[in-house]
Amino acid sequence: TNPQKRPTIWVYLLIFSFIFLRPSALEGFVSSLEQEQRRMCSQSFSAHQANGATSTNPHPTTKMKFTGFALATLAAGASAFSPSSFVRTAPVAHSAASSSALCMKYKVAVVGGGPSGACAAEIFAQEKGIDTVLFERKLDNAKPCGGAIPLCMVGEFDIPESTVDRKVRKMNLISPTGKEVDIGDTLKPNEYIGMCRREILDKYLRDRAFEYGAECVNGLVTSIDVPSDHKVSEEPYTINYQEYQEGSSAGVPKSMDVDLIVGADGANSRVAKAMDAGQYNFAIAFQERIKISDEKMKFYEEMAEMYVGDDVSPDFYGWVFPKYDHVGVGTGTVVNRPAIKQYQKAIRDRAGDKIAGGKIIKVEAHPIPEHYRPRRVQGRIALVGDAAGYVTKCSGEGIYFAAKSGRMAAEEIVALMKGGSRLPTQAEIEDTYCKKYDGLYGPTYTVLDILQKVFYTNNGAREAFVELCNSKYVQQVTFDSYLYKRVQGNNPLDDIKLLGETIGCMVKGYSTAKPDAEFSNPVESLKRI
């Protein structure tokens, strides 16, 4: 017989797989091949980097021929029995991060394209051993938000000045009785609070992640299938979503298998629900964008306003923050959410002539978390930003902490994945990302929680708060803490003096302030998300 006509070993192997191997056995075999392939790719890529080679293909293909051919052969055999559930293919096309298409890379999904998701995706996308997919349901989304960002964020996250509408250097505080205190004299000439429109800031951060290689899915995540053993196995998560195409309002149902998920999808996080992260209390923030005349806008050139009083909020404050060509006027509350429109009318009335004649161009409302989720990491799913509960009391700030948590979580997870060669465990993510984040910002959350309980609960305390802000020391500590995200105040003599002033202001405030209006909503106040 002509030797060239003889059946090769590959033909026998193919026949054997059709006749004797069950699909379940093939699944296990292919899974082991995938793991070995990832290990080989990672070792090859690491060696390539260590040798300082400049070739665009750091992965030798000669060592992969057997694995690649066997994988294709056995996958074909398995498909004869049933539709393949173990050869994972993405519904969305992904560009290869290396020139070897045989390298099996772990896939990370970031759900949510706000500051937390965009900053996380940017880090993952720079790791060549990881496929990164960013889900965002509305790419032109304008989240209801005051839009204030601290100076440290501008530098730390390379935010261009083109995304900053206004540089606020003065803050006007107005007490329940109308007493006004201007603060900002302690700021240096180059210090300011940046005022942004979220649709501009978020788009810039997302686009930067896409430029690094993150894949964009314009879609709404509807549910996530979480394997029962996901904490101890590498079984993939299945993300079910509606994908939207340009020019169509109807979504197309799709699904995608991923190896790790970062939930950056806000207070109503579906990722948090899927992973059983637990519930938290929340505030409702309500804001109207009001277009006022150029003459009136001059007042807000470098000025923002904060109003306190039970008429604008029983536990927060009302604000007038300048934007590009309009002002954002809003308020928020946790304890009396059903009355939010009543409080919104009050803040408009309090602003009075300064916004009189203005045209409301947009109305926005959104929930804001009041504390951490009970569980921020489950298996290979981690929460960041509002989804994790990273909004401060007293100030209601969340943009910086969203961006920072997204970046920190991604950096720690990338380090744990060691070039895409392994998946991190829940304990590892908690011991790195969560532990470091809490160590950096835990004191800030604690201090601001205490301040809110002391100064935002009744009109007497609110009067005292505004009076205290006359102190240059209070202004210095407040601005430094906000601008640079460090708990300030380490002058013992000034701190003792401040304590005495606080007591005096509280006594005076309680003696002059009107009683707070009573309200009751025993059912709605217990609602959690």
Side-chain angles (χ1 to χ4, degrees), residues 473-494:
Y473 181 62
V474 170
Q475 293 185 29
Q476 182 72 55
V477 169
T478 300
F479 271 113
D480 284 354
S481 299
Y482 177 80
L483 294 178
Y484 302 108
K485 292 296 164 278
R486 297 187 300 267
V487 176
Q488 304 289 330
N490 52 10
N491 187 322
L493 291 179
D494 283 339

Side-chain angles (χ1 to χ4, degrees), residues 247-481:
S248 175
S249 59
V252 178
K254 292 188 177 182
S255 64
M256 180 187 297
D257 284 353
V258 300
D259 300 293
L260 189 145
I261 300 174
V262 173
D265 49 340
N268 287 313
S269 172
R270 288 181 174 170
V271 175
K273 181 179 180 180
M275 66 183 269
D276 189 26
Q279 297 178 324
Y280 50 26
N281 200 3
F282 65 100
I284 286 293
F286 193 99
Q287 178 174 266
E288 295 168 326
R289 299 193 188 195
I290 301 178
K291 178 84 170 179
I292 58 178
S293 68
D294 293 342
E295 188 65 27
K296 292 181 183 295
M297 278 298 298
K298 289 180 181 179
F299 176 78
Y300 294 106
E301 182 68 28
E302 293 186 342
M303 172 75 78
E305 291 189 304
M306 288 176 56
Y307 294 81
V308 291
D310 69 315
D311 58 334
V312 297
S313 176
D315 55 341
F316 202 53
Y317 63 86
W319 65 83
V320 181
F321 288 168
K323 307 296 182 180
Y324 173 66
D325 59 354
H326 62 275
V327 290
V329 181
T331 185
T333 180
V334 177
V335 298
N336 197 20
R337 294 185 289 259
I340 188 65
K341 290 187 178 180
Q342 169 191 324
Y343 298 137
Q344 180 65 19
K345 181 180 183 302
I347 182 61
R348 286 200 310 268
D349 293 343
R350 289 276 296 272
D353 290 341
K354 286 174 283 191
I355 63 170
K359 178 183 179 182
I360 298 175
I361 58 177
K362 192 175 181 64
V363 178
E364 308 164 317
H366 199 74
I368 298 175
E370 279 293 288
H371 53 79
Y372 285 9
R373 290 274 187 187
R375 293 171 291 279
R376 288 170 286 166
V377 180
Q378 291 277 68
R380 288 165 278 119
I381 308 177
L383 300 178
V384 295
D386 284 13
Y390 295 149
V391 177
T392 59
K393 297 288 188 70
C394 192
S395 66
E397 182 192 4
I399 298 177
Y400 174 81
F401 296 107
K404 187 67 174 180
S405 63
R407 175 177 283 187
M408 285 185 68
E411 288 175 341
E412 297 303 327
I413 291 171
V414 164
L416 291 169
M417 292 180 72
K418 296 182 178 178
S421 63
R422 64 184 297 271
L423 288 173
T425 66
Q426 176 177 327
E428 289 174 333
I429 299 174
E430 290 174 333
D431 289 344
T432 52
Y433 154 54
C434 291
K435 187 174 182 180
K436 290 181 180 181
Y437 185 88
D438 293 347
L440 277 175
Y441 303 113
T444 298
Y445 287 101
T446 300
V447 169
L448 292 176
D449 189 15
I450 293 171
L451 289 178
Q452 184 177 39
K453 287 180 170 65
V454 171
F455 291 113
Y456 282 6
T457 53
N458 61 75
N459 283 332
R462 296 182 190 107
E463 290 286 351
F465 169 70
V466 174
E467 180 75 23
L468 274 172
C469 288
N470 265 320
S471 165
K472 298 301 182 193
Y473 181 62
V474 170
Q475 293 185 29
Q476 182 72 55
V477 169
T478 300
F479 271 113
D480 284 354
S481 299

Side-chain angles (χ1 to χ4, degrees), residues 31 35 38 88 106 225-237 258-260 378-381 422-426 428-429:
S31 177
Q35 294 177 7
R38 288 192 182 105
R88 301 205 296 266
Y106 287 115
D225 299 332
V226 179
S228 59
D229 62 346
H230 71 118
K231 295 183 180 181
V232 294
S233 74
E234 291 193 358
E235 283 297 303
Y237 302 101
V258 300
D259 300 293
L260 189 145
Q378 291 277 68
R380 288 165 278 119
I381 308 177
R422 64 184 297 271
L423 288 173
T425 66
Q426 176 177 327
E428 289 174 333
I429 299 174

